[in-house]
Amino acid sequence: WATSSETSTKGFLVKRRPARTEDFEVIASYENWGPLASKGPEGGAYSYVDANVSPGGWVYRVTECETNGSENDICQALVEIQTEEEQRGAVIAAVSIVTLGIAAVVAGILLDPVGGY
């Protein structure tokens, strides 16, 4: 995410919850992970990679923490983490679709009675 102004921002929290549930947990904070601290009044670009997540649906939320103690949720995203088996299945499906597409083009060229003209 990116900000264009952080005049009273101390930093950000990254929260996560399983899909179809209500309660978020804080998984990273500007207080314990420096890159989430405010980059100053002009704002900046931020990122966070969650390396400790299991397969399934997850909702991530970024919360801005202000110098006056208030918190503002600024963005939220639903992320689906696939198992290795699901990832293999997606690759196999993609390869199959591409192979069928190539076969259709080759068949069209070979079976064209006009010779492509």
Side-chain angles (χ1 to χ4, degrees), residues 48-59:
Y48 181 79
V49 176
D50 188 359
N52 300 313
V53 66
S54 58
W58 297 92
V59 178

Side-chain angles (χ1 to χ4, degrees), residues 34-104:
L36 293 178
S38 174
K39 295 192 187 315
E42 300 300 314
Y46 300 85
S47 64
Y48 181 79
V49 176
D50 188 359
N52 300 313
V53 66
S54 58
W58 297 92
V59 178
Y60 287 86
R61 179 180 283 173
V62 175
T63 301
E64 176 187 36
C65 298
E66 305 264 349
T67 54
N68 66 6
S70 67
E71 294 184 357
N72 306 301
D73 296 329
I74 60 171
C75 62
Q76 182 171 295
L78 173 63
V79 177
E80 183 69 32
I81 306 296
Q82 295 180 327
T83 64
E84 288 184 29
E85 184 177 313
E86 289 170 329
Q87 291 172 0
R88 274 193 300 277
V91 169
I92 290 168
V95 168
S96 298
I97 290 169
V98 168
T99 302
L100 286 172
I102 292 171

Side-chain angles (χ1 to χ4, degrees), residues 10-49:
K10 289 195 299 187
F12 299 91
L13 305 175
V14 178
K15 302 175 182 179
R16 170 183 75 196
R17 68 173 169 84
R20 297 183 199 88
T21 65
E22 297 298 320
D23 297 326
F24 281 94
E25 68 173 315
V26 175
I27 58 172
S29 167
Y30 69 94
E31 295 174 322
N32 59 23
W33 198 58
L36 293 178
S38 174
K39 295 192 187 315
E42 300 300 314
Y46 300 85
S47 64
Y48 181 79
V49 176

